[in-house]
Amino acid sequence: MFTLKHRAQRAALGMLLAATTLLGGCASIYLDGTTKEVPTEQFKKPASPAPVQVLFDFQTKGVANAHATEFLREKVIAQVKSSGLFSDVGAAVVPSGAVLSITLNNVPLTDNAFSKGFVTGLTFGLAGSQVSDGYVCTASYRATGDATPVVAQARHAIHTTMGAAATPGNAVKMASLDEAAIQMTRQVVSKTLNDLSHDANFK
């Protein structure tokens, strides 16, 4: 026999599942428009490009995210290869010991994201909410194993709206979260590569 407590627990679970279903069907993804892709033509190309080993790591709140790293790694390596900043690019160690390490850290910008989404679900979309995820890209380049690294950093964001929330300002609607992640990564990595190339210590 179900007690009053059991019925209350089942009712709460039912509302949670309903909220989750509603959010899955009405969420819209937007790519922040502040950070733009920097064309490779603007990069300052070295006189004698050298080979480099590229290491890429995606993090969530500073903790390694293996799935996201695997999803984006080859795309990032291909982007570095097409930058024209290096003679050869790959995941293998190069004779000089040169390493380009790129870290993309996902840091939530909106507090209480879960509770906001839960309220949106319970009001059947009448109360809108927005959740924003920040991304900090850090690129560190060592020309040799014992060289002082040259570091550049850039930021980006992806916004998710639910229910009747207004469209975020200065943002572009994306077809999916995967598309937004790929575009965001390309843009923020291009910004760090450009900044690295214009650093006086980049050789």
Side-chain angles (χ1 to χ4, degrees):
M1 177 181 293
F2 285 106
T3 64
L4 182 60
K5 179 180 179 181
H6 289 146
R7 289 193 183 97
Q9 289 174 337
R10 290 188 67 185
L13 178 59
M15 288 190 292
L16 176 58
L17 292 174
T20 304
T21 301
L22 285 168
L23 291 179
C26 65
S28 297
I29 310 297
Y30 294 86
L31 182 64
D32 194 89
T34 304
T35 300
K36 307 288 187 182
E37 182 172 350
V38 182
T40 57
E41 291 78 13
Q42 292 187 24
F43 296 177
K44 185 178 179 182
K45 311 293 172 59
S48 301
V52 69
Q53 176 188 21
V54 176
L55 304 177
F56 174 71
D57 183 38
F58 188 100
Q59 300 176 348
T60 301
K61 296 181 181 180
V63 178
N65 184 324
H67 178 74
T69 297
E70 187 65 24
F71 177 65
L72 294 167
R73 179 188 286 115
E74 292 305 318
K75 297 175 180 62
V76 171
I77 291 178
Q79 183 175 357
V80 175
K81 188 175 295 186
S82 66
S83 70
L85 299 178
F86 306 97
S87 61
D88 189 34
V89 174
V93 176
V94 298
S96 67
V99 177
L100 173 64
S101 176
I102 299 176
T103 301
L104 190 54
N105 189 19
N106 173 209
V107 183
L109 301 178
T110 309
D111 292 332
N112 300 318
F114 174 80
S115 61
K116 288 185 178 182
F118 188 61
V119 170
T120 300
L122 293 182
T123 56
F124 297 96
L126 297 179
S129 60
Q130 176 180 315
V131 176
S132 295
D133 279 286
Y135 297 87
V136 181
C137 182
T138 304
S140 176
Y141 172 67
R142 285 182 187 271
T144 61
D146 58 352
T148 300
V150 181
V151 181
Q153 194 172 82
R155 297 172 183 271
H156 213 319
I158 293 176
H159 311 290
T160 304
T161 63
M162 294 162 282
T167 300
N170 190 28
V172 180
K173 189 171 184 179
M174 297 278 103
S176 67
L177 183 56
D178 282 359
E179 180 185 352
I182 292 170
Q183 188 102 337
M184 175 277 298
T185 301
R186 183 165 186 84
Q187 291 176 348
V188 77
V189 168
S190 75
K191 178 72 167 59
T192 57
L193 290 178
N194 181 59
D195 290 348
L196 276 182
S197 74
H198 287 276
D199 191 298
N201 295 314
F202 179 81
K203 299 176 183 178

